[in-house]
Amino acid sequence: MPSACDPVIEDIEDMVSSTDPTPHERQSARKNIVPRPKKKKELLNDEELQADSVIPGMQKIWMKTWGCSHNNSDGEYMAGQLAASGYKMTDDPAEADLWLLNSCTVKNPAEDHFRNSIKKAQEQEKKVVVAGCVPQAQPRMDYLKGLSIIGVQQIDRVVEVVDEAVKGHSVRLLGQKKEGGRRLGGARLDLPKIRKNPLIEIISINTGCLNACTYCKTKHARGDLASYPIEELVKRVRQSFQEGVCEIWLTSEDTGAYGRDIGTDLPTLLWRLVEQIPDGAMLRLGMTNPPYILEHLGEMAKILNHPRVYAFLHVPVQSASDSVLMDMKREYCIDDFKRVVDFLKERVPGVTIATDIICGFPGETEEDFQETLELVKLYRFPSLFINQFYPRPGTPAAKMEQVPAQVKKQRTRELSQLFHSYNPYDHKVLVPKKVEFKGKMIEVEIYEAGKHFMKGRPVEDSKPFNPSIAAPLQQGEVSGLIQEQSVRGTSGSSSILIGCFSVDREALKKLGIGLAVAAALLAFIIDKLY
């Protein structure tokens, strides 16, 4: 076993063979271990044990995630696996033994925060493991030397990496997952996870994209499009609702491109998912680029009109200048974007269209910027993400002639002032912050209106409606492990949730099958199926 001073091991396969137990097998085996008493001469005193023993799985871990909802979902999966393996997740970085830093590479400030956190951890003599898009895209950066890295498609092996890191070893897993020569969407969807919000399940439906935008560093990390099969996504949604979730958020680098690599499309997936949504629960769609939504506009309008789907779509425009869009290699013109927005606004009453704009892209003239201002004035987007351009290393846009920094800042301010000049949130209703309202739908009466909001109070004698079909997991509880749930609609009977399967307790008793045996049988079946 190499020491902390030995050369970095580029892949954990250099240390772990195919015959070694997986984290899942190790966790299962712990329940069946029968300790054997040692002879007196074999006993070690406490001083000897502390001097040379590091037992993985006993440490406290603090995790920090930057970036998009896809990154947040990855973070939830990593936290769940670590907790299921015995590690304790903590919200206090000071008490943690190891920091797991899950990075974002979209903009310079996000990477700056990531780099500063690494430095702070090292100053406090914490063990560090890094994950996310920054180390995946740039693993040889100086400030990453000697650190263990989990690639964006290797999050299912986080326990192995952390195990080695707490022992002082440095390992790096950056490979792509493939099957039969085809790139997979990433780690399995049925892994344990700890949801940041127990009422919301974030599901990545695909990873990577089909574009080659000249400013984008994420493409270097996430790669080309790889979609999850529909059946796997349906199972994950079903399991989530059985664990008390009342909202599903779909995410990816481009949800509109879903399925193009596996012979299907986004509307086909959405109609299958809608079938799984309980009454009152909701589905929220993620970001889609204009080129891949144009051919599905009719079906998308029908889906967004569904009572269990939010009438919301995030369609980034980035610029209203065709010249700038061409330099960005966005693969659409401004008329394409307007066609998407006009079609949906006409056929989906009250639809919310969110968009992104980059200010100061290389070569952007004042005339180009004025076209963008006119677009915002025309549509008055209720949700607008304004980004000052940052050249990301290794991207084509970083080599283009840059707009002066003061001009970028001035355009960013001007666009922000325009956004705040109208009332984008005059339909947003604020209600009292009470625990009994969390995750429920309530009827309110409006008693006050402000510039960006309205205030409501519960209508007298009205009862909150609970869309969850089961009691939600507690904050910090691990999804995917065996849970006892009281499921609405079963006349008060209790079922046992094992993975994504719901099993009646009374039926197990009649068959003479214990819980541990049932879990082992289902684990065996699931392993054979997948």
Side-chain angles (χ1 to χ4, degrees):
M1 188 68 72
S3 70
C5 298
D6 287 337
V8 169
I9 297 171
E10 290 297 330
D11 199 301
I12 205 167
E13 277 86 357
D14 296 337
M15 303 184 64
V16 182
S17 73
S18 61
T19 60
D20 288 334
T22 65
H24 176 73
E25 291 169 339
R26 184 179 69 180
Q27 178 66 15
S28 300
R30 286 181 178 180
K31 302 172 184 176
N32 301 318
I33 291 175
V34 179
R36 292 183 297 175
K38 292 183 179 180
K39 296 179 182 179
K40 287 186 178 179
K41 64 180 181 180
E42 295 177 349
L43 294 176
L44 300 174
N45 60 44
D46 290 344
E47 186 175 338
E48 290 174 324
L49 185 62
Q50 293 172 1
D52 57 9
S53 296
V54 176
I55 304 174
M58 310 293 288
Q59 292 75 20
K60 293 181 180 180
I61 297 176
W62 177 69
M63 185 171 69
K64 171 70 175 177
T65 294
W66 292 266
C68 65
S69 55
H70 192 166
N71 231 31
N72 276 275
S73 179
D74 286 352
E76 291 179 345
Y77 274 123
M78 288 190 284
Q81 292 172 85
L82 290 167
S85 186
Y87 289 99
K88 181 180 178 182
M89 305 304 296
T90 178
D91 294 328
D92 185 356
E95 74 170 15
D97 302 292
L98 180 144
W99 287 13
L100 174 54
L101 304 175
N102 189 19
S103 62
C104 172
T105 192
V106 172
K107 294 188 289 188
N108 289 19
E111 184 172 348
D112 291 341
H113 287 305
F114 171 62
R115 182 172 53 249
N116 291 338
S117 294
I118 292 174
K119 183 179 179 181
K120 186 175 181 180
Q122 292 169 333
E123 289 172 349
Q124 297 182 24
E125 298 184 344
K126 306 289 186 181
K127 303 288 186 182
V128 181
V129 173
V130 295
C133 293
V134 171
Q136 179 73 55
Q138 300 169 278
R140 300 189 184 280
M141 293 290 288
D142 286 343
Y143 68 89
L144 297 178
K145 285 182 178 178
L147 299 181
S148 290
I149 296 176
I150 304 166
V152 295
Q153 285 206 311
Q154 299 290 335
I155 61 171
D156 54 341
R157 301 178 67 185
V158 62
V159 174
E160 300 170 62
V161 176
V162 170
D163 281 353
E164 296 304 323
V166 298
K167 291 186 289 188
H169 306 140
S170 179
V171 292
R172 297 185 168 201
L173 299 181
L174 296 165
Q176 302 292 323
K177 290 188 177 296
K178 295 183 178 181
E179 187 176 272
R182 185 180 68 83
R183 184 170 177 269
L184 299 179
R188 299 194 330 266
L189 294 174
D190 62 349
L191 294 170
K193 71 158 34 179
I194 295 179
R195 298 185 182 96
K196 188 175 182 181
N197 185 334
L199 299 171
I200 297 175
E201 168 72 1
I202 305 173
I203 303 177
S204 57
I205 62 175
N206 56 265
T207 187
C209 68
L210 294 174
N211 293 346
C213 300
T214 55
Y215 56 82
C216 183
K217 188 71 176 177
T218 305
K219 176 77 172 189
H220 296 188
R222 298 283 184 179
D224 292 326
L225 179 70
S227 304
Y228 285 98
I230 288 179
E231 293 305 322
E232 291 183 21
L233 294 164
V234 168
K235 288 177 182 177
R236 184 65 200 181
V237 166
R238 188 182 299 129
Q239 176 188 338
S240 300
F241 285 124
Q242 289 172 340
E243 292 178 334
V245 162
C246 59
E247 266 189 33
I248 300 289
W249 291 3
L250 301 185
T251 184
S252 76
E253 282 66 61
D254 188 348
T255 58
Y258 171 80
R260 288 172 175 256
D261 57 320
I262 57 174
T264 186
D265 54 42
L266 181 62
T268 301
L269 169 66
L270 295 178
W271 285 123
R272 287 292 307 279
L273 297 186
V274 164
E275 297 171 358
Q276 307 298 324
I277 304 175
D279 186 30
M282 299 297 290
L283 176 69
R284 181 180 185 270
L285 304 187
M287 184 273 286
T288 177
N289 283 311
Y292 307 114
I293 204 69
L294 279 168
E295 64 188 78
H296 300 308
L297 283 178
E299 284 298 294
M300 291 303 299
K302 294 176 186 177
I303 290 166
L304 293 174
N305 273 308
H306 194 284
R308 293 194 287 275
V309 178
Y310 284 118
F312 169 90
L313 198 61
H314 179 192
V315 188
V317 64
Q318 306 300 9
S319 173
S321 164
D322 284 341
S323 174
V324 173
L325 291 175
M326 184 176 297
D327 289 341
M328 291 179 172
K329 288 194 175 179
R330 290 290 288 167
E331 300 183 6
Y332 59 87
C333 63
I334 193 59
D335 285 342
D336 293 331
F337 175 81
K338 289 181 176 179
R339 180 183 162 200
V340 171
V341 177
D342 293 341
F343 187 96
L344 293 178
K345 289 177 74 71
E346 178 184 345
R347 289 166 175 78
V348 185
V351 67
T352 295
I353 302 294
T355 196
D356 299 4
I357 290 175
I358 296 174
C359 294
F361 185 81
E364 182 187 62
T365 65
E366 186 59 35
E367 290 75 19
D368 295 328
F369 179 66
Q370 288 301 319
E371 290 183 67
T372 298
L373 290 176
E374 291 303 316
L375 183 77
V376 175
K377 291 175 184 177
L378 173 64
Y379 290 112
R380 297 167 66 90
F381 299 103
S383 184
L384 180 60
F385 302 95
I386 302 169
N387 301 289
Q388 179 179 318
F389 175 75
Y390 291 96
R392 301 298 290 132
T395 62
K399 301 176 183 178
M400 298 177 182
E401 185 176 351
Q402 303 296 305
V403 172
Q406 64 272 22
V407 175
K408 290 192 290 187
K409 291 179 180 178
Q410 182 272 326
R411 290 176 183 173
T412 302
R413 282 196 300 269
E414 190 173 348
L415 185 57
S416 297
Q417 289 169 358
L418 172 59
F419 174 67
H420 291 294
S421 69
Y422 55 88
N423 296 352
Y425 300 118
D426 57 2
H427 60 293
K428 183 175 181 179
V429 180
L430 305 178
V431 297
K433 188 177 180 180
K434 295 184 178 181
V435 175
E436 58 265 33
F437 294 159
K438 189 175 181 180
K440 297 180 175 63
M441 305 179 79
I442 59 175
E443 184 180 359
V444 300
E445 59 181 2
I446 305 300
Y447 67 90
E448 182 182 336
K451 179 176 175 61
H452 302 299
F453 64 88
M454 294 183 287
K455 289 185 178 180
R457 56 187 164 219
V459 173
E460 191 174 352
D461 297 329
S462 66
K463 294 183 178 180
F465 173 73
N466 182 11
S468 299
I469 65 172
L473 302 181
Q474 297 299 309
Q475 190 73 47
E477 196 170 355
V478 181
S479 160
L481 300 184
I482 298 173
Q483 307 287 343
E484 291 194 6
Q485 305 273 3
S486 295
V487 182
R488 196 176 67 213
T490 58
S491 303
S493 64
S494 180
S495 68
I496 298 170
L497 189 66
I498 303 176
C500 60
F501 294 87
S502 184
V503 183
D504 187 81
R505 295 183 66 185
E506 296 302 319
L508 288 179
K509 288 182 180 179
K510 289 178 182 178
L511 292 172
I513 299 176
L515 179 59
V517 175
L521 285 172
L522 278 174
F524 175 79
I525 293 169
I526 293 169
D527 183 63
K528 291 300 180 185
L529 286 174
Y530 302 106

